[in-house]
Amino acid sequence: MTALDALPVGFTMGDAAGIGPEIIVKLFAAGLPHAALVYGDAGILDAAITQLGLADTLKIELVSGPDQAQGAAGVMPVLNRWRELPADLPAGQLSALAGRGAYEYLCHAIDDAQAGRLRAIVTAPLNKKAMQAGGADYPGHTEILADRSATQHFAMMLVNQDLRVILATIHVPLSQVSALITLDLELQTIRLAQRACIQAGIARPRVAVAGLNPHAGEDGRFGREDIEVIQPAIQQARIEGIDASGPWPGDTVFMRARQGEFDIVVAQYHDQGLIPVKYLGIDQGVNVTVGLPFIRTSVDHGTAFDIAGQGIADPSSLRAAYDLALDMTRYG
């Protein structure tokens, strides 16, 4: 066991008006093999415990630091360095308070991870509009994590049982993608893909790079980016010892990866990479931020306001995120 193995995993509650509190409660009630704590609101979590009929199974313990999370069965350690949320906060409705809370919980978890107090961070979903209404103007989790940890080179990766996909660009308009695809960005993303696979225990990763244009540009007929930017980045990556190949047409490369030909696919923009992953189902999907100085995984779904507070939310993606976080910290 390493020193990292002895540290607890930090869950962030996400938006209190969404399904985050419910899926976290269900996960802790089912039992976890490793110590963990929740950065969130004790009152909201306790209400979820009661609403789910788990008061005899799970109790909340207020803690002031991650070192107090001992991993006792039937106990959910909760850490909140922000204000308490109102007990009557309505489920399924956009709230600036809930949005700000989600941001604060995440920031405090990042600070503890940076200080070496957490094994990994696992995040429940936040609502971007609620967070922005609460004064935190970020597109999502990924950008907060990078900004708070002063990380310059990072990427979003989506993982399920069939695919592993990393994105060169994330939350930007499609009209801006071409200008953002530079040799440096492409090469950094390929390097991060290699790093992510090694963290997953793959000794010699096979990195497939998707083309930007239809048919990967078809020798320049449908755009020059694949020839002039993406291909040179792949060549440089191969010089560095990375088993990278492509650019491959985006309409077939994900199928080939699913069939076992590649370990990870570098997608050029958000929907190119996320549509094939989410088409296969989000129950076991995990979102990973690659490049951070700590491990961060997350659910592959949103706050689901339409079912919040009804007790029917599925914690499978959160469990998959937790399990993957443990695996990634084992391999480094």
Side-chain angles (χ1 to χ4, degrees), residues 36-166:
L37 74 154
V38 182
Y39 291 78
D41 186 271
I44 296 294
L45 290 164
D46 194 48
I49 290 172
T50 301
Q51 192 262 337
L52 292 169
L54 296 171
D56 293 334
T57 304
L58 188 62
K59 304 294 182 185
I60 285 177
E61 178 184 24
L62 298 177
V63 297
S64 59
D67 59 315
Q68 296 177 2
Q70 301 301 315
V75 175
M76 177 191 289
V78 177
L79 175 60
N80 186 3
R81 299 191 182 110
W82 195 55
R83 57 176 291 179
E84 292 183 5
L85 293 174
D88 59 351
L89 185 79
Q93 295 184 28
L94 192 144
S95 163
L97 271 179
R100 183 71 193 195
Y103 171 75
E104 295 290 342
Y105 311 143
L106 178 62
C107 288
H108 297 153
I110 293 170
D111 293 346
D112 281 342
Q114 287 275 87
R117 302 188 187 103
L118 293 176
R119 178 169 177 168
I121 297 175
V122 179
T123 60
L126 55 74
N127 184 284
K128 297 171 186 177
K129 289 184 179 179
M131 181 180 68
Q132 290 160 5
D137 191 15
Y138 287 91
H141 270 115
T142 304
E143 292 81 4
I144 300 170
L145 287 151
D147 186 32
R148 188 83 175 185
S149 65
T151 302
Q152 292 186 341
H153 301 298
F154 61 95
M156 176 190 292
M157 179 175 73
L158 275 294
V159 179
N160 62 23
Q161 295 175 345
D162 298 299
L163 280 177
R164 188 178 287 107
V165 177
I166 192 168

Side-chain angles (χ1 to χ4, degrees), residues 18-326:
I19 63 172
E22 178 186 335
I23 59 177
I24 286 177
V25 164
K26 287 179 176 179
L27 201 65
F28 271 80
L32 297 175
H34 186 82
L37 74 154
V38 182
Y39 291 78
D41 186 271
I44 296 294
L45 290 164
D46 194 48
I49 290 172
T50 301
Q51 192 262 337
L52 292 169
L54 296 171
D56 293 334
T57 304
L58 188 62
K59 304 294 182 185
I60 285 177
E61 178 184 24
L62 298 177
V63 297
S64 59
D67 59 315
Q68 296 177 2
Q70 301 301 315
V75 175
M76 177 191 289
V78 177
L79 175 60
N80 186 3
R81 299 191 182 110
W82 195 55
R83 57 176 291 179
E84 292 183 5
L85 293 174
D88 59 351
L89 185 79
Q93 295 184 28
L94 192 144
S95 163
L97 271 179
R100 183 71 193 195
Y103 171 75
E104 295 290 342
Y105 311 143
L106 178 62
C107 288
H108 297 153
I110 293 170
D111 293 346
D112 281 342
Q114 287 275 87
R117 302 188 187 103
L118 293 176
R119 178 169 177 168
I121 297 175
V122 179
T123 60
L126 55 74
N127 184 284
K128 297 171 186 177
K129 289 184 179 179
M131 181 180 68
Q132 290 160 5
D137 191 15
Y138 287 91
H141 270 115
T142 304
E143 292 81 4
I144 300 170
L145 287 151
D147 186 32
R148 188 83 175 185
S149 65
T151 302
Q152 292 186 341
H153 301 298
F154 61 95
M156 176 190 292
M157 179 175 73
L158 275 294
V159 179
N160 62 23
Q161 295 175 345
D162 298 299
L163 280 177
R164 188 178 287 107
V165 177
I166 192 168
L167 305 181
T169 64
I170 309 175
H171 299 124
V172 296
L174 189 58
S175 61
Q176 296 178 14
V177 169
S178 178
L180 292 172
I181 299 296
T182 64
L183 190 149
D184 182 62
L185 174 68
E186 203 69 26
L187 183 56
Q188 287 293 343
T189 308
I190 295 170
R191 290 169 177 160
L192 289 171
Q194 167 92 345
R195 172 178 168 178
C197 287
I198 290 173
Q199 286 179 320
I202 301 170
R204 178 68 175 169
R206 298 163 299 168
V207 181
V209 181
L212 173 66
N213 298 298
H215 303 173
E218 198 163 295
D219 298 322
R221 291 185 64 192
F222 304 142
R224 302 289 303 176
E225 295 93 344
D226 298 283
I227 294 174
E228 297 176 358
V229 180
I230 298 175
Q231 195 171 76
I234 294 169
Q235 292 170 347
Q236 178 57 40
R238 293 187 66 84
I239 291 171
E240 295 178 9
I242 300 173
D243 185 7
S245 63
W248 301 110
D251 57 357
T252 56
V253 68
F254 300 99
M255 175 189 66
R256 293 170 65 185
R258 188 186 182 197
Q259 292 172 344
E261 190 173 345
F262 308 116
D263 298 302
I264 190 168
V265 178
V266 174
Q268 301 304 325
Y269 54 92
H270 187 277
D271 284 10
Q272 183 188 52
L274 267 59
I275 287 174
V277 174
K278 294 192 175 185
Y279 178 78
L280 293 172
I282 63 174
D283 290 348
Q284 297 296 325
V286 180
N287 182 333
V288 184
T289 306
V290 184
L292 299 172
F294 49 83
I295 299 298
R296 176 267 176 165
T297 64
S298 182
V299 295
D300 186 23
H301 58 72
T303 48
F305 277 176
D306 57 325
I307 63 169
Q310 298 178 34
I312 59 174
D314 186 350
S316 297
S317 181
L318 187 66
R319 180 60 195 238
Y322 170 78
D323 290 341
L324 181 60
L326 293 183

